[in-house]
Amino acid sequence: MELKNIVPWGRSFNEYKSMFSLTNTDLNKKILGCADGPASFNAELTERGGSVVSVDPVYQFDSLQIRSRIDDVYPHIMSEVKKNTDDYIWKDIPNIEALGKTRMNSMEAFLDDYEAGKKDRRYIKASLPILPFEDQALDLALCSHYLFLYSEHIDEALHIASMLELCRVAQEVRVYPLVSLDGSISKYLDVVISSLKNKGMDVSLQDVAYQFQNSASQMLVVKCV
Ligand SMILES: C[S@@+](CC[C@H](N)C(=O)[O-])C[C@H]1O[C@@H](n2cnc3c(N)ncnc32)[C@H](O)[C@@H]1O
């Protein structure tokens, strides 16, 4: 992974709470945030006393490198969203200015926490489909805006291997969203569900309160054990 190829974009604790319907009981579990990038979920949950570890290949870079890349790509991402405003529901995030502020606040909170969090092993450089944890080391794994969303870049085999790996390390896995970048349900959702069910796992689709990308109203929940 080269710095010039990464596009850092991070969501907040409240967004994770809403995307994954996290209850107070959930938030007291040992949580893995997979593909967390510059989201502030880890920083904010740690501040609240929670137990969370994030993995992402981007954690091979230091805070200065990630910050400079955020500054480089931010105007481009914002102009892309502006061109495609009809792809989003402007309710909880009312407008483009609020979106920019929300994302930058999250990424600033991440950057403020990042170097200390790396020393505490809360930010670990790793990539699906291989995670550096013992079997069932975590209670709950969350994967936001990576699997299914990038269905044009991640193939079927990698989707299935990644989901099985998440289920190897956590008792329960939740993934959001289930749509790809064009807003249609991922072409891999059915085959992933069948593969997990064939392994005897309990798989369901659950409505979530979070609303931003059109049609992204459900998460995948897998009870792995
Ligand atoms: C769109 S960002 C989502 C960030 C965060 N989860 C959020 O919702 O705000 C996608 C993230 O997936 C990470 N990623 C890319 N390839 C990965 C892999 N093989 N395993 C885990 N994460 C990966 C990227 O580095 C990036 O940080």
Side-chain angles (χ1 to χ4, degrees), residues 144-188:
S144 156
H145 292 83
Y146 173 63
L147 292 172
F148 302 119
L149 184 66
Y150 293 102
S151 289
E152 296 313 316
H153 307 82
I154 307 167
D155 66 14
E156 176 181 319
L158 192 50
H159 268 87
I160 294 170
S162 296
M163 287 302 300
L164 290 175
E165 179 69 347
L166 286 164
C167 273
R168 181 187 68 75
V169 304
Q171 293 181 20
E172 181 179 334
V173 177
R174 301 182 194 178
V175 185
Y176 177 92
L178 308 179
V179 297
S180 42
L181 288 170
D182 68 2
S184 62
I185 294 293
S186 163
K187 58 187 170 192
Y188 300 129

Side-chain angles (χ1 to χ4, degrees), residues 24 72 97 123 225:
N24 286 339
D72 287 348
E97 290 72 28
Y123 296 108
V225 287

Side-chain angles (χ1 to χ4, degrees), residues 6-185:
I6 68 160
V7 183
W9 204 233
R11 291 164 186 80
S12 68
F13 173 83
N14 280 336
E15 290 182 283
Y16 267 60
K17 214 174 149 190
S18 168
M19 290 187 286
F20 295 112
S21 306
L22 296 171
T23 61
N24 286 339
T25 306
D26 292 329
L27 291 168
N28 281 319
K29 292 178 177 171
K30 263 172 113 171
I31 297 181
L32 166 65
C34 189
D36 267 354
S40 57
F41 178 67
N42 189 318
E44 294 185 75
L45 180 55
T46 301
E47 178 87 25
R48 287 167 159 82
S51 164
V52 55
V53 56
S54 299
V55 299
D56 197 295
V58 88
Y59 301 151
Q60 69 193 271
F61 301 110
D62 65 26
S63 57
L64 285 178
Q65 290 172 306
I66 299 176
R67 182 183 290 279
S68 82
R69 191 64 193 147
I70 291 171
D71 292 342
D72 287 348
V73 301
Y74 179 84
H76 173 70
I77 302 178
M78 293 302 282
S79 84
E80 284 301 303
V81 177
K82 250 182 217 160
K83 273 191 235 158
N84 299 294
T85 47
D86 289 351
D87 293 350
Y88 302 95
I89 300 161
W90 298 99
K91 199 169 131 243
D92 297 332
I93 298 175
N95 53 46
I96 191 99
E97 290 72 28
L99 175 69
K101 216 167 158 189
T102 303
R103 292 287 171 273
M104 280 313 280
N105 286 344
S106 297
M107 294 191 284
E108 284 293 346
F110 160 80
L111 287 168
D112 286 349
D113 180 54
Y114 180 55
E115 295 300 343
K118 247 178 152 176
K119 285 197 188 101
D120 293 346
R121 302 279 299 152
R122 283 188 291 108
Y123 296 108
I124 296 175
K125 177 205 152 197
S127 302
L128 284 170
I130 297 173
L131 297 173
F133 303 107
E134 300 291 323
D135 294 358
Q136 301 299 302
L138 292 312
D139 299 320
L140 175 62
L142 308 174
C143 185
S144 156
H145 292 83
Y146 173 63
L147 292 172
F148 302 119
L149 184 66
Y150 293 102
S151 289
E152 296 313 316
H153 307 82
I154 307 167
D155 66 14
E156 176 181 319
L158 192 50
H159 268 87
I160 294 170
S162 296
M163 287 302 300
L164 290 175
E165 179 69 347
L166 286 164
C167 273
R168 181 187 68 75
V169 304
Q171 293 181 20
E172 181 179 334
V173 177
R174 301 182 194 178
V175 185
Y176 177 92
L178 308 179
V179 297
S180 42
L181 288 170
D182 68 2
S184 62
I185 294 293

